[in-house]
Amino acid sequence: MFYKFSFFLIFFLCTCVQPMAHAQTRVPSQKSAPAGNSKVEALLKKMTLQEKIGQLTLYTTDWESTGPTIRDGYKNDIRSGACGALFNSHTVPFTRELQRIAIEETRLKIPLLFGYDVIHGYKTIFPIPLGEAASWDLTAIEKSARVAAKEASSAGLHWTFAPMVDVARDPRWGRVMEGAGEDTYLGCRIAEARVRGIQGKGIGNTDAVLACVKHYAAYGAAIGGRDYNTVDMSERFLREYYLPPYKAAIDAGARTVMASFNDYDGVPATGNKFLLDQILRKEWKFKGFVVSDYTGIAEMVNHGVVANDKEAGELALQAGVDMDMQSAIYQRFTAQSLREGKISLQQIDDAVRRILSLKFELGLFDDPYKFSDQARYDATILSAENRAAARDVAKRSIVLLQNKGNVLPLSKNTKIALIGPLAENKSELIGNWCGAGSGSDCVSVREGLQLAGYNQVAFAKACEIADHDESGFKAALEVAQHADVLVVVLGERADMSGEAASRSNIKLPGVQENLLKALKSSGKPIVVILMNGRPLDLSEIVNDADAILEAWWLGTETGNALADVISGAYNPSGKLPMSFPKSVGQIPVYYNYKSTGRPYDPNSKWTSKYIDEQNNPLFPFGFGLSYTTFEYGEIQCDNPVFKKGTPVQLRVNVRNTGKYDGEEVVQLYIRDVTASVTRPVRELKAFKKIKIPQGGNETISFSLTDADFSFYKKNMQFGSEAGKFEIYIGGSALASRKLSIEMKP
Ligand code: BGC
């Protein structure tokens, strides 16, 4: 960690006016920046070099038991204009006081920008992003981000370090909890929804904050799932699977980007001109600003691509990092680098312009306090409306993985033995990256069941999440004796996923598997509720449990949302956004694998396989049960032989054949049978979540365009190739309805 370096820049170089380096071409996604362009230029003319560098400097504030605090040195840096942005700074009084210093005690009165990791809620906590992704419900996901932005903005925040859109195929990586899972297409749609929610009707509105798409790029591909680790992949792979969600977020209007900690192709992302300049700015026409990740600039010394901090700053600025988070390297060395001709004044000015433009667009120069609004804060924080939204998203995020003998739902007069370390816990329910959320605001599972009207609930904790003490099993077995059904709430600790929380073993920690085995001896039906931040190895659990509800970390309304599902008031509709492996040795296991020259054949040794494990995961991508059943009809197509460039119209009838009304996520996958490069066996290209009443049926239509058949061809041009395609439609990546179609040149 790099804390404050109390350096004062002594060189106040005069500020020359530089020509605008970036012609503001209008593209649909990135509003040509500044309404206040001329204001930015006028301000830039007045700024000293130190004041310019200050705008590129971002520091953290702290949080003590007494509330938010700031280090003295940083406060002085605000006064001298050496720091223009702060993160982790929130609450109305605190942001007002810091802003007051910037406005009343600095020469140019440039307002501060306040950022924070509002990842799945500010005070009202929603499910972790991976959990929300399981809802496949873009309206609900957008709503969640909207509520988060409303709450955060009222507390003085202008900027959230979200959405995290890193595609991840390795559940050992702790940060899978922050993203949308393994798939590029689903990841793109969710990235857009989150940006729409965060930025609302547009930057400048008091309830909208700046989105920051992170971690650019390919952070989710850290080798071995070990956080911060190296990333190495072909450019084809990068462009095809990892880059699209960042692009989707930017096209949806995200105005800032965070560079990632990892290297790509031998160059740390923080100093990677190919990623930051060639792709981001030149190809995607990104006009906002790029911030480093926490001390990411300084870490380039450890990466071994620069000899010292000064060189790290030069590499980062040249590559396109505008703002330095917490390294204090720009602050300490930029003036010297400029004197030595290692960087140009134009590079500095361009970075300053991008940051000031957004401060203007936020309206901070007109009213620097507009976001820190106590009345709005009091009206919105944890309001009944926000809690209702959190409950709604939470119930939609739950995935029913197993339901042997239709043990679920449970009628209200069921005698329940509620067992397990998470059964009445509140503090863990908000998961990791939980903003300003508090466990004390959460509804526990026990409370949720009681509130729902289950009044025969006996409780036993049985064990802790991660220790090895089994002495509580006896009491749990006693409670089990008198119950009709055991509801066993198991999982990880919230801090077992998130940053710096990779695991080499992804089974339930501690003695929880033993607990389940012990409870199984009671002969009672067992419903397992799982709380976790990643796909787990559930190979033992599926044998011991009758029903399994994957509940991730559901946030403030956990207990109510679970009671909705357990009682059948809401019929579960979640689908996995990531494959759940059979064992850690299968990882990475994902649905859109390539055929290989020797496709898997369980009966043939010389095929691509393990000798001690099957290839398929325990639960595939897109999988999730309902209390009802859905039957898919044959796929209908108006034009199975179609000309390149014309849309293909597809339809499928889905029938609700069970005993409940229900929602189904109808998923469409394609396979390009023969192409100039190898293609995955399946790729998700469309989905629709629909509600079908009991006994009813619905015809769902899809239209596939040329973009859906396109990929990076052998010559790296993006486009489609004529030939045969297979279409699969169904309720998971194993969808079995199939239709062959053909594209003519
Ligand atoms: C994380 C980022 C986060 C930043 C600021 C870093 O350690 O990688 O995701 O936004 O800290 O809290």
Side-chain angles (χ1 to χ4, degrees):
M1 293 292 144
F2 286 72
Y3 293 113
K4 164 80 177 73
F5 294 89
S6 43
F7 275 78
F8 288 92
L9 294 169
I10 42 172
F11 299 101
F12 294 85
L13 298 187
C14 73
T15 58
C16 333
V17 188
Q18 295 294 317
M20 278 293 284
H22 289 260
Q24 302 289 344
T25 32
R26 193 169 272 280
V27 293
S29 53
Q30 295 285 313
K31 275 195 268 163
S32 61
N37 234 342
S38 55
K39 294 183 184 162
V40 171
E41 295 307 316
L43 181 56
L44 204 58
K45 276 186 205 166
K46 295 186 204 153
M47 293 170 80
T48 64
L49 180 64
Q50 191 204 20
E51 285 162 342
K52 289 179 182 178
I53 295 167
Q55 291 304 306
L56 314 186
T57 299
L58 171 66
Y59 285 139
T60 183
T61 55
D62 305 302
W63 197 276
E64 311 288 342
S65 54
T66 49
T69 59
I70 182 166
R71 300 166 210 177
D72 288 344
Y74 291 175
K75 220 176 199 174
N76 291 335
D77 285 346
I78 299 172
R79 285 194 182 99
S80 67
C83 165
L86 292 164
F87 68 113
N88 294 329
S89 320
H90 52 108
T91 74
V92 173
F94 190 57
T95 50
R96 278 191 167 257
E97 170 52 15
L98 297 175
Q99 197 67 294
R100 190 201 59 75
I101 300 174
I103 299 304
E104 293 179 12
E105 300 183 30
T106 68
R107 198 177 75 87
L108 291 174
K109 307 185 188 321
I110 302 176
L112 291 166
L113 186 72
F114 296 119
Y116 191 40
D117 292 280
V118 183
I119 307 296
H120 53 113
Y122 175 69
K123 275 274 186 193
T124 304
I125 301 303
F126 285 73
I128 56 168
L130 186 67
E132 280 189 354
S135 74
W136 293 56
D137 188 327
L138 302 176
T139 311
I141 291 170
E142 181 174 338
K143 177 84 193 257
S144 154
R146 189 82 286 277
V147 170
K150 280 184 181 170
E151 290 196 352
S153 59
S154 75
L157 289 161
H158 313 132
W159 184 26
T160 173
F161 301 140
M164 185 280 215
V165 304
D166 304 323
V167 169
R169 292 172 164 183
D170 193 329
R172 291 172 297 183
W173 192 48
R175 303 199 79 168
V176 297
M177 60 131 315
E178 295 171 52
E182 75 185 39
D183 184 55
T184 307
Y185 179 84
L186 180 62
C188 287
R189 302 295 79 80
I190 290 178
E192 293 158 355
R194 292 205 164 116
V195 171
R196 285 197 301 268
I198 292 167
Q199 298 193 164
K201 292 212 171 73
I203 298 309
N205 290 293
T206 38
D207 67 355
V209 294
L210 290 169
C212 181
V213 55
K214 72 186 188 185
H215 306 82
Y216 185 74
Y219 185 33
I223 293 175
R226 211 182 68 213
D227 207 3
Y228 314 123
N229 204 8
T230 295
V231 168
D232 207 358
M233 63 174 74
S234 66
E235 186 181 335
R236 179 185 308 284
F237 212 70
L238 174 79
R239 286 188 184 268
E240 182 140 351
Y241 299 106
Y242 286 86
L243 292 187
Y246 307 105
K247 167 91 160 54
I250 289 164
D251 287 348
R255 310 302 290 278
T256 75
V257 168
M258 187 183 292
S260 54
F261 286 129
N262 56 284
D263 63 341
Y264 168 71
D265 195 20
V267 183
T270 311
N272 196 313
K273 218 169 172 164
F274 171 68
L275 293 175
L276 295 174
D277 192 52
Q278 173 58 35
I279 295 180
L280 184 65
R281 293 205 196 279
K282 296 210 170 78
E283 294 180 25
W284 297 354
K285 314 259 183 287
F286 175 67
K287 302 277 186 257
F289 73 78
V290 176
V291 62
S292 78
D293 202 347
Y294 203 105
T295 62
I297 298 182
E299 289 168 25
M300 289 202 286
V301 178
N302 286 340
H303 274 290
V305 294
V306 286
N308 52 46
D309 285 356
K310 182 169 109 10
E311 285 182 13
E314 290 158 5
L315 186 61
L317 196 67
Q318 279 159 2
V321 174
D322 302 302
M323 192 183 273
D324 171 0
M325 186 195 291
Q326 206 54 24
S327 287
I329 283 182
Y330 284 179
Q331 193 196 57
R332 285 181 290 145
F333 299 108
T334 305
Q336 186 186 343
S337 300
L338 178 66
R339 278 199 315 280
E340 291 171 3
K342 299 280 174 42
I343 52 169
S344 69
L345 188 58
Q346 179 162 335
Q347 281 167 327
I348 299 171
D349 282 351
D350 283 345
V352 177
R353 277 189 182 96
R354 295 183 190 116
I355 293 161
L356 288 180
S357 294
L358 286 178
K359 288 188 175 181
F360 272 106
E361 206 175 325
L362 281 161
L364 295 177
F365 284 91
D366 299 327
D367 178 0
Y369 305 103
K370 68 188 248 194
F371 290 85
S372 315
D373 183 336
Q374 195 63 50
R376 201 158 65 83
Y377 182 94
D378 293 340
T380 185
I381 295 293
L382 284 164
S383 67
E385 192 192 338
N386 293 357
R387 291 194 78 125
R391 178 174 181 163
D392 186 61
V393 181
K395 72 187 187 196
R396 291 172 188 283
S397 303
I398 297 167
V399 185
L400 177 65
L401 292 176
Q402 182 164 295
N403 197 15
K404 289 183 200 159
N406 291 328
V407 55
L408 283 172
L410 300 180
S411 70
K412 294 282 169 73
N413 54 18
T414 310
K415 279 195 208 139
I416 296 176
L418 181 65
I419 298 169
L422 286 156
E424 69 167 7
N425 178 289
K426 283 171 174 261
S427 59
E428 302 293 317
L429 304 182
I430 47 180
N432 210 322
W433 289 114
C434 50
S438 162
S440 60
D441 294 320
C442 289
V443 180
S444 71
V445 179
R446 190 178 191 179
E447 290 167 339
L449 290 175
Q450 276 157 359
L451 287 166
Y454 288 97
N455 42 32
Q456 302 183 79
V457 180
F459 168 74
K461 186 174 180 185
C463 61
E464 298 297 333
I465 296 171
D467 75 10
H468 290 90
D469 181 1
E470 298 189 354
S471 59
F473 285 16
K474 193 160 166 269
L477 278 163
E478 270 162 30
V479 167
Q481 296 276 300
H482 309 287
D484 302 325
V485 175
L486 318 187
V487 174
V488 189
V489 193
L490 306 174
E492 299 181 301
R493 276 197 325 263
D495 67 2
M496 288 179 164
S497 59
E499 186 176 353
S502 295
R503 294 180 66 197
S504 65
N505 166 1
I506 56 166
K507 283 175 172 285
L508 282 175
V511 292
Q512 296 182 84
E513 283 192 357
N514 297 353
L515 171 64
L516 211 55
K517 290 207 185 309
L519 293 173
K520 176 118 175 129
S521 70
S522 72
K524 302 285 169 79
I526 299 180
V527 174
V528 167
I529 297 174
L530 291 170
M531 298 184 178
N532 45 285
R534 57 159 60 76
L536 294 173
D537 170 356
L538 302 177
S539 44
E540 294 291 320
I541 312 299
V542 290
N543 296 327
D544 297 332
D546 295 280
I548 304 176
L549 286 172
E550 174 53 72
W552 321 102
W553 299 113
L554 292 177
T556 310
E557 288 289 319
T558 298
N560 286 332
L562 276 163
D564 287 341
V565 165
I566 289 169
S567 66
Y570 182 74
N571 184 354
S573 64
K575 301 275 189 175
L576 295 179
M578 247 184 121
S579 311
F580 274 45
K582 286 206 162 96
S583 64
V584 85
Q586 276 189 322
I587 297 171
V589 59
Y590 48 92
Y591 84 94
N592 49 348
Y593 57 89
K594 304 276 187 84
S595 151
T596 80
R598 294 186 178 201
Y600 177 64
D601 176 351
N603 301 316
S604 168
K605 176 175 167 65
W606 307 100
T607 59
S608 178
K609 63 195 284 195
Y610 302 100
I611 57 171
D612 56 355
E613 184 65 278
Q614 297 168 328
N615 278 20
N616 56 319
L618 188 61
F619 295 112
F621 174 81
F623 174 82
L625 300 170
S626 162
Y627 295 153
T628 193
T629 43
F630 297 102
E631 243 177 63
Y632 283 73
E634 297 291 341
I635 304 172
Q636 310 289 327
C637 181
D638 293 345
N639 50 342
V641 179
F642 63 103
K643 217 171 137 33
K644 186 180 168 86
T646 54
V648 183
Q649 310 296 346
L650 297 149
R651 283 182 313 280
V652 71
N653 187 266
V654 185
R655 190 170 288 283
N656 180 339
T657 49
K659 298 205 179 77
Y660 298 83
D661 298 349
E663 289 170 54
E664 170 71 328
V665 181
V666 181
Q667 302 160 43
L668 184 152
Y669 298 84
I670 69 162
R671 176 174 188 171
D672 191 339
V673 181
T674 314
S676 59
V677 293
T678 57
R679 304 297 304 144
V681 294
R682 285 184 188 198
E683 293 174 83
L684 182 71
K685 288 295 172 186
F687 65 88
K688 282 187 184 165
K689 189 164 186 171
I690 43 148
K691 188 165 183 177
I692 310 180
Q694 182 197 357
N697 72 91
E698 193 79 48
T699 297
I700 324 295
S701 313
F702 294 101
S703 175
L704 296 181
T705 65
D706 200 48
D708 298 313
F709 297 104
S710 296
F711 59 95
Y712 288 91
K713 297 184 276 191
K714 198 166 187 182
N715 59 7
M716 283 304 280
Q717 294 299 308
F718 190 73
S720 64
E721 288 173 352
K724 292 201 165 83
F725 292 86
E726 288 165 359
I727 306 286
Y728 297 88
I729 300 183
S732 81
L734 300 183
S736 56
R737 289 296 181 190
K738 176 178 165 186
L739 182 77
S740 295
I741 59 172
E742 188 174 350
M743 181 194 285
K744 293 285 185 192

